[in-house]
Amino acid sequence: MEITATVGLSNKADLSLAYTPGVAEVCEAIAADPALTRHYTWVPNTVAIVTDGTAVLGLGDIGPAAAMPVMEGKAVLFKQFGGVDGIPICLATTDVEEIIETVVRLAPSFGGINLEDISAPRCFEIEDRLKERLDIPVFHDDQHGTAVVTLAALTNALTLTHGRPESTRVVISGAGAAGVAIAKILLEAGVQDVVVTDRKGVVSSDRHDLTPSKKALAELTADRSGRSGTLADAFAGADVYVGVSGGTVPEEVVATMADDAIIFAMANPNPEVHPDVAHRHARVVATGRSDFPNQINNVLAFPGIFRGAFDVHASAITEGMKVAAAQALAELVGDDLTEEMVIPSPFDPRVGPAVAAAVAAAARRDGVARA
């Protein structure tokens, strides 16, 4: 990564414009009208990529210094696939209050905040409270990027199996950041029977060990359908399995799913259900890996989402904008839809522009666009 200027600086005249005295005129204009920041600074095209290093990839709590390479990689993806400038910020604190206050104080330098690799359940509170305090997009990619791409892939998979969202049974293993967001976006998209499991089984209100975030999740999911019990209990007759937890699901459990099942086993590097096993019992199989077909990859979502939000100077990223992003991704597959291709490639040049356009239009519909 490097930072480069967008204009030349080769002589005395250039220097007088780039810095003193010429820059003072811009400063005075912004002081008189802060909205001019959107036109004369890097702010409207720059996202802060913020982490505390507590949930990095599959590596866990490795701290802020070791998290920097991932944040740099994220910045490269933002630029390559969305034309968005990203600045990695690794914070030397895991305290919720300190993280929130730090980001609030940094916010004037950025057009949006991308939260990254912050462990659950702290990530939920951090995101929610930053949304309340800031008038720029705040997006936790581990939650919402994963959810958007999952919904897109599932939309196309259900087309192949002739399934309808309202009659589809979904089991999600993993009640962390990604599992919670996937459950919420599927409900938003019309799926009515969603069950989330953790290490102790179905997250339902008849359990007495639930955190506040899991209690709220239970009310949205298992409590509506009256389901409880173990992961195996949830699997029996299910149409869709979404894995964002790690571990291994025994084949005899997988075999109890409904006909024409859909399996998205997204743990890296080892999927919860190996594709060889999944293909024996499912019609459509996806993973989080690039060496198998149908990779559920966040890079399909977050660059275009921020590009679209920045293009209309959105004050937030709404549920409608996320669903619109998923729909745009699903539609790109078009006539190429097969069991081996339910989601486009990250290198499809249509992806970023299509997601950005859908997100910008949704921002206008949802009333958060300012341009």
Side-chain angles (χ1 to χ4, degrees):
M1 282 183 59
E2 64 178 359
I3 294 176
T4 61
T6 58
V7 295
L9 185 62
S10 57
N11 54 50
K12 186 176 180 180
D14 292 343
L15 182 60
S16 69
L17 287 173
Y19 202 53
T20 184
V23 75
E25 185 174 346
V26 183
C27 293
E28 290 175 339
I30 292 173
D33 180 5
L36 292 178
T37 301
R38 301 174 190 166
H39 302 286
Y40 297 115
T41 74
W42 81 342
V43 168
N45 196 59
T46 306
V47 59
I49 307 169
V50 180
T51 190
D52 63 357
T54 55
V56 179
L57 300 178
L59 305 175
D61 186 355
I62 60 174
M68 179 57 83
V70 178
M71 303 309 113
E72 289 179 326
K74 198 82 172 193
V76 170
L77 298 181
F78 264 116
K79 189 66 173 181
Q80 176 71 27
F81 296 108
V84 171
D85 296 307
I87 302 298
I89 297 176
C90 299
L91 300 178
T93 179
T94 60
D95 182 83
V96 168
E97 300 298 333
E98 290 184 355
I99 291 172
I100 291 169
E101 292 304 320
T102 301
V103 173
V104 168
R105 283 159 175 73
L106 289 171
S109 296
F110 299 98
I113 307 294
N114 184 89
L115 301 173
E116 190 79 19
D117 294 344
I118 298 173
S119 62
R122 295 176 311 118
C123 60
F124 304 126
E125 180 180 0
I126 290 169
E127 183 187 36
D128 288 344
R129 289 176 58 189
L130 284 174
K131 285 180 177 179
E132 291 173 358
R133 295 185 60 178
L134 299 177
D135 66 347
I136 57 175
V138 177
F139 186 82
H140 184 206
D141 185 53
D142 301 316
Q143 292 185 61
H144 309 300
T146 305
V148 165
V149 183
T150 299
L151 175 58
L154 182 58
T155 298
N156 281 336
L158 288 175
T159 298
L160 289 170
T161 63
H162 304 289
R164 296 179 302 167
E166 62 271 18
S167 59
T168 297
R169 276 192 57 206
V170 179
V171 177
I172 301 169
S173 68
V180 171
I182 291 169
K184 289 181 177 179
I185 202 170
L186 294 185
L187 292 168
E188 182 77 17
V191 180
Q192 297 176 11
D193 193 344
V194 179
V195 168
V196 182
T197 68
D198 61 10
R199 292 184 180 87
K200 297 183 179 180
V202 174
V203 177
S204 57
S205 292
D206 59 358
R207 287 173 43 180
H208 302 291
D209 61 340
L210 300 181
T211 62
S213 63
K214 288 186 179 181
K215 177 69 174 175
L217 180 62
E219 293 171 355
L220 287 173
T221 57
D223 291 0
R224 292 184 176 185
S225 59
R227 302 189 189 279
S228 60
T230 65
L231 175 65
D233 294 329
F235 254 83
D239 300 295
V240 179
Y241 168 67
V242 177
V244 283
S245 63
T248 301
V249 180
E251 184 168 1
E252 59 268 24
V253 174
V254 178
T256 67
M257 294 183 71
D259 294 338
D260 276 349
I262 297 166
I263 293 177
F264 293 173
M266 291 153 33
N268 270 315
N270 299 311
E272 295 90 343
V273 182
H274 192 278
D276 292 343
V277 173
H279 279 296
R280 291 199 283 268
H281 304 283
R283 173 85 176 273
V284 181
V285 177
T287 71
R289 290 172 46 157
S290 60
D291 53 347
F292 293 109
N294 296 326
Q295 184 189 21
I296 307 293
N297 191 331
N298 288 17
V299 75
L300 288 163
F302 67 81
I305 289 174
F306 270 94
R307 176 75 275 145
F310 283 175
D311 285 347
V312 295
H313 299 302
S315 59
I317 294 174
T318 65
E319 291 303 311
M321 293 160 73
K322 298 170 198 172
V323 172
Q327 292 171 339
L329 282 173
E331 289 169 1
L332 283 178
V333 176
D335 294 338
D336 295 326
L337 178 62
T338 67
E339 286 81 355
E340 300 294 298
M341 186 175 179
V342 296
I343 197 76
S345 164
F347 293 99
D348 184 331
R350 301 173 300 163
V351 167
V355 171
V359 167
R364 291 190 175 98
R365 289 195 301 270
D366 292 348
V368 296
R370 293 180 286 196

